[in-house]
């Protein structure tokens, strides 16, 4: 994880991006959400045109929390806290540079060195009713880099559109990058994230903020075109390492080992044990990150504090299921 963060920031610094620190997990000026859910969240004022003190090209690693999938935690890939690697163009470069740099970072042996034969992408399919065309420009750029037509999926708003963060504001089509996680070394011909959603793991999303959604719900072209990208640190580590699940990466595995030690059980013992260990490690990691944030939040019965309490309560329950009867949360928190 350290090498991936470092390589990402170095790569974009070499493309004249300024490295900025992660913002707090607790949003500054947005009462509509409890947590920072994406790297773009703290940057909304700058995407709307305010000048950023560090310039028009930024890169960072942002701490994020998404709790809407809390009940999915326990499978091989869902987590509630994650790190998002991002690069930003605030009215500077657009599609061509973004896509070319994404491809270079993913495939160059100097950076991630992923096999191009195991990568596929999706682009926005277009929406006639809103006068938004299919994103042929993005598709052509991918093809010019060597991505074959059968590895490009054209998908609707549900998959390939981002924003606005609130009711109105900057938004646009996105193009997403996927890594093959199915059987066999290489994906079969014709396979892409549109034809086989389950075996392609999304690792990176490049959003082209070229529209403003106005009060009437109309999409008008934006004067300042922005780029917002988000690469999931945890999922990309899974792609790079070949691990079968996200809990084996180095920011999770020491937590699992500690739970094995405390319970005397083994991670691979049974589906139930694996699931409980995943839930405990995820939830206590998230609770620790919220309590350890610059804007420290303690467990309580309202707002962010309620989420902390809920995370701890669920972790304790799964601890009991594993036969841990003493207090153990602090020991996991120390590992985090
Ligand atoms: N905002 C986009 C996402 O969260 C890209 O950063 O996926």
């Amino acid at each position: 994880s350290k090498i991936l963060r470092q390589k990402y920031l170095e790569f974009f610094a070499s493309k004249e991006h300024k490295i900025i620190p992660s913002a707090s997990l607790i949003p500054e000026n947005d009462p509509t959400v409890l947590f920072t859910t994406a790297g773009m969240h703290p940057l909304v004022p700058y995407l709307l045109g305010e000048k950023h003190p560090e310039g028009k090209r930024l890169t960072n690693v942002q701490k994020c929390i998404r709790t809407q999938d809390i009940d999915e935690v326990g499978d091989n890939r869902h987590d509630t806290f994650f790190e998002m690697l991002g690069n930003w163009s605030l009215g500077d470069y657009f599609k061509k540079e973004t896509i070319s740099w994404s491809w270079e970072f993913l495939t160059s042996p100097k950076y991630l060195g992923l096999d191009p034969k195991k990568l596929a992408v999706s682009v926005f399919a277009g929406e006639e009713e809103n006068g938004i065309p299919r994103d042929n420009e993005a598709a052509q750029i991918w093809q010019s880099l060597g991505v074959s037509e059968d590895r490009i999926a054209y998908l609707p708003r549900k998959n390939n559109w981002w924003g606005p963060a609130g009711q109105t504001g900057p938004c646009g089509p996105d193009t997403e990058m996927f890594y093959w996680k199915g059987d066999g070394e290489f994906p079969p011909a014709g396979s892409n994230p549109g034809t086989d959603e389950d075996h392609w793991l999304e690792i990176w999303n490049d959003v082209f903020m070229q529209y403003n959604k106005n009060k009437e719900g109309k999409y008008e072209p934006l004067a300042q075109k922005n780029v917002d990208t988000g690469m999931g640190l945890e999922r990309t580590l899974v792609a790079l390492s070949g691990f079968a699940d996200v809990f084996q990466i180095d920011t999770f595995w020491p937590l699992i080992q500690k739970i094995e030690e405390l319970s005397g059980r083994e991670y691979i013992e049974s589906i139930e044990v694996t699931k409980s260990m995943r839930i405990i490690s995820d939830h206590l990691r998230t609770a620790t990150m919220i309590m350890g944030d610059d804007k420290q939040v303690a467990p309580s019965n309202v707002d962010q504090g309620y989420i902390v309490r809920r995370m701890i309560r669920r972790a304790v329950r799964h601890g009991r299921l594993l036969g841990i009867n003493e207090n153990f949360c602090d020991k996991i928190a120390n590992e985090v």
Side-chain angles (χ1 to χ4, degrees):
S1 60
K2 273 188 194 146
I3 297 169
L4 176 55
R5 287 189 205 98
Q6 201 179 338
K7 282 197 174 203
Y8 191 92
L9 297 175
E10 255 171 34
F11 177 80
F12 283 100
S14 80
K15 312 286 185 200
E16 286 149 38
H17 289 62
K18 284 275 165 52
I19 301 172
I20 58 167
S22 172
S24 166
L25 275 172
I26 318 297
E28 286 281 338
N29 304 310
D30 190 349
T32 65
V33 285
L34 291 178
F35 297 107
T36 298
T37 56
M40 61 87 73
H41 221 140
L43 292 170
V44 167
Y46 309 104
L47 296 166
L48 286 169
E50 198 178 303
K51 289 251 170 312
H52 193 285
E54 297 290 348
K56 291 180 173 181
R57 293 184 183 194
L58 309 173
T59 182
N60 64 355
V61 185
Q62 175 63 46
K63 303 184 276 185
C64 301
I65 289 183
R66 289 185 191 172
T67 54
Q68 67 267 40
D69 290 336
I70 189 168
D71 290 321
E72 310 289 329
V73 176
D75 69 3
N76 61 357
R77 64 183 183 283
H78 279 91
D79 48 8
T80 54
F81 169 88
F82 62 98
E83 296 177 56
M84 197 178 264
L85 305 158
N87 58 285
W88 313 87
S89 161
L90 304 171
D92 190 24
Y93 60 85
F94 205 47
K95 291 187 189 178
K96 189 164 185 283
E97 294 87 341
T98 312
I99 294 177
S100 311
W101 291 338
S102 290
W103 188 249
E104 183 184 345
F105 184 70
L106 290 174
T107 60
S108 159
K110 200 171 154 208
Y111 293 98
L112 301 195
L114 291 172
D115 188 335
K117 289 198 210 70
K118 296 176 91 165
L119 292 166
V121 302
S122 63
V123 303
F124 187 54
E127 239 167 37
E128 246 171 65
E129 62 277 26
N130 286 313
I132 301 166
R134 185 168 105 153
D135 196 353
N136 289 330
E137 191 188 348
Q140 271 158 19
I141 300 168
W142 285 119
Q143 282 178 309
S144 76
L145 293 164
V147 178
S148 62
E149 181 64 32
D150 68 336
R151 295 282 184 247
I152 303 178
Y154 295 87
L155 300 176
R157 173 176 293 263
K158 181 167 81 71
N159 309 81
N160 281 75
W161 186 273
W162 180 268
Q167 293 300 309
T168 59
C171 53
D174 65 48
T175 183
E176 301 184 2
M177 289 145 269
F178 296 79
Y179 190 71
W180 175 248
K181 290 297 285 177
D183 292 338
E185 205 189 342
F186 296 109
S191 176
N192 64 46
T195 65
D196 182 0
E197 214 179 348
D198 292 341
H199 294 115
W200 288 96
L201 179 72
E202 184 200 332
I203 53 176
W204 201 352
N205 183 13
D206 291 352
V207 185
F208 306 116
M209 293 190 163
Q210 60 189 109
Y211 295 100
N212 180 47
K213 189 177 180 193
N214 66 22
K215 285 204 206 76
E216 286 77 51
K218 293 244 169 343
Y219 295 91
E220 46 198 27
L222 212 58
Q224 170 182 316
K225 288 185 175 141
N226 305 296
V227 173
D228 149 20
T229 95
M231 171 184 259
L233 178 100
E234 290 78 3
R235 288 180 174 196
T236 305
L237 288 174
V238 168
L240 289 167
S241 62
F243 290 142
D245 75 67
V246 81
F247 296 89
Q248 295 181 46
I249 66 173
D250 64 356
T251 48
F252 266 121
W253 191 243
L255 313 185
I256 299 283
Q257 284 178 307
K258 196 75 197 174
I259 301 164
E260 285 186 320
E261 183 193 314
L262 290 165
S263 63
R265 313 288 291 268
E266 259 188 279
Y267 181 61
I268 52 164
E269 207 177 294
S270 68
I271 294 170
E272 290 74 26
V273 168
T274 304
K275 192 172 168 196
S276 286
M277 289 191 180
R278 288 172 177 172
I279 292 173
I280 296 169
S281 62
D282 171 78
H283 288 14
L284 292 180
R285 183 165 99 123
T286 300
T288 306
M289 295 310 290
I290 301 170
M291 289 189 281
D293 191 270
D294 292 343
K295 296 195 187 156
Q296 310 175 342
V297 175
S300 75
N301 55 7
V302 290
D303 301 332
Q304 289 92 351
Y306 173 70
I307 303 289
V308 179
R309 196 175 78 171
R310 185 166 177 219
M311 292 288 175
I312 296 173
R313 196 171 58 199
R314 285 171 59 112
V316 169
R317 187 172 105 74
H318 281 276
R320 294 286 182 275
L321 290 176
L322 293 179
I324 311 176
N325 290 310
E326 73 271 24
N327 290 334
F328 70 98
C329 294
D330 59 328
K331 300 189 178 75
I332 308 300
N334 278 333
E335 291 297 326
V336 175

Coordinates of all heavy atoms in Angstrom, one line a residue, residues 37-40 66 84 88 162 202 205-207 209 228-231, ligand 1:
T37 N -17.2 11.0 1.1 CA -17.5 9.7 0.4 C -16.7 9.5 -0.8 O -16.6 8.4 -1.4 CB -19.0 9.7 0.0 OG1 -19.2 10.8 -0.9 CG2 -19.9 9.7 1.1
A38 N -16.0 10.6 -1.3 CA -15.1 10.5 -2.5 C -14.1 11.6 -2.4 O -14.3 12.6 -1.8 CB -16.0 10.5 -3.7
G39 N -13.0 11.4 -3.2 CA -12.0 12.4 -3.3 C -12.5 13.8 -3.7 O -12.0 14.8 -3.4
M40 N -13.6 13.7 -4.6 CA -14.1 15.0 -5.1 C -14.9 15.8 -4.1 O -15.0 17.0 -4.3 CB -15.0 14.7 -6.3 CG -16.2 13.9 -6.2 SD -17.7 14.9 -5.6 CE -18.1 15.7 -7.1
R66 N -18.0 5.0 3.1 CA -19.3 4.8 2.5 C -20.0 3.7 3.3 O -19.5 2.6 3.3 CB -19.2 4.4 1.0 CG -18.8 5.5 0.1 CD -18.8 5.1 -1.4 NE -18.1 6.2 -2.1 CZ -17.8 6.1 -3.4 NH1 -18.1 5.0 -4.1 NH2 -17.2 7.0 -4.1
M84 N -8.9 6.6 -1.5 CA -9.1 6.9 -3.0 C -7.9 7.7 -3.5 O -7.7 8.8 -3.0 CB -10.4 7.6 -3.2 CG -10.9 7.5 -4.6 SD -12.5 8.3 -4.9 CE -13.5 6.9 -4.8
W88 N -6.6 15.5 -10.4 CA -7.6 16.5 -10.6 C -7.2 17.6 -11.6 O -6.1 18.0 -11.5 CB -8.0 17.3 -9.3 CG -8.1 16.3 -8.2 CD1 -7.2 15.8 -7.4 CD2 -9.4 15.7 -7.8 NE1 -7.7 14.8 -6.6 CE2 -9.1 14.8 -6.8 CE3 -10.7 15.8 -8.3 CZ2 -10.0 14.0 -6.2 CZ3 -11.6 15.0 -7.7 CH2 -11.3 14.1 -6.7
W162 N -21.4 10.5 -13.2 CA -21.1 10.9 -11.8 C -21.6 12.3 -11.5 O -21.4 13.2 -12.3 CB -19.5 10.9 -11.5 CG -19.3 11.3 -10.1 CD1 -19.0 12.5 -9.7 CD2 -19.3 10.4 -9.0 NE1 -18.8 12.5 -8.3 CE2 -19.0 11.2 -7.9 CE3 -19.5 9.0 -8.8 CZ2 -18.9 10.7 -6.6 CZ3 -19.4 8.6 -7.5 CH2 -19.1 9.4 -6.4
E202 N -13.8 -3.3 -10.8 CA -13.5 -1.9 -11.1 C -12.4 -1.4 -10.2 O -12.5 -1.6 -9.0 CB -14.8 -1.1 -10.9 CG -14.6 0.4 -11.3 CD -15.6 1.3 -10.6 OE1 -16.7 0.9 -10.3 OE2 -15.2 2.5 -10.4
N205 N -11.9 5.2 -11.8 CA -12.9 5.9 -12.5 C -12.5 7.3 -12.9 O -12.0 8.1 -12.0 CB -14.1 6.0 -11.5 CG -15.3 6.7 -12.1 OD1 -15.4 6.9 -13.3 ND2 -16.3 7.1 -11.2
D206 N -12.5 7.7 -14.2 CA -12.2 9.0 -14.6 C -13.5 9.7 -15.0 O -14.2 9.3 -15.9 CB -11.3 9.0 -15.9 CG -9.9 8.4 -15.7 OD1 -9.5 8.2 -14.5 OD2 -9.2 8.2 -16.7
V207 N -13.8 10.8 -14.2 CA -15.0 11.5 -14.4 C -14.7 12.8 -15.2 O -13.8 13.6 -14.9 CB -15.7 11.9 -13.1 CG1 -17.1 12.6 -13.4 CG2 -15.9 10.7 -12.2
M209 N -16.2 16.2 -15.9 CA -17.2 17.1 -15.5 C -17.4 18.2 -16.5 O -16.7 19.2 -16.4 CB -16.9 17.7 -14.1 CG -16.9 16.6 -13.1 SD -16.8 17.2 -11.5 CE -17.3 15.8 -10.5
D228 N -12.1 14.5 -12.6 CA -12.1 14.0 -11.2 C -11.8 12.5 -11.4 O -12.6 11.8 -11.9 CB -13.5 14.3 -10.6 CG -13.9 13.2 -9.6 OD1 -13.1 12.5 -9.0 OD2 -15.1 13.2 -9.3
T229 N -10.7 12.0 -10.9 CA -10.5 10.6 -11.0 C -10.4 10.0 -9.6 O -10.0 10.6 -8.7 CB -9.2 10.2 -11.8 OG1 -8.1 9.9 -11.0 CG2 -8.9 11.2 -12.9
G230 N -10.8 8.7 -9.5 CA -10.7 8.0 -8.3 C -10.3 6.6 -8.5 O -11.0 5.8 -9.1
M231 N -9.1 6.2 -7.9 CA -8.6 4.8 -8.0 C -8.7 4.2 -6.6 O -8.2 4.8 -5.6 CB -7.2 4.8 -8.5 CG -6.5 3.4 -8.4 SD -4.8 3.4 -8.9 CE -4.9 2.8 -10.5
Ligands
LIG1 N1 -15.9 10.8 -7.8 C1 -15.6 9.6 -8.5 C2 -15.8 8.3 -7.7 O1 -16.0 8.4 -6.5 C3 -14.2 9.6 -9.1 O2 -13.3 10.1 -8.1 O3 -15.7 7.2 -8.2

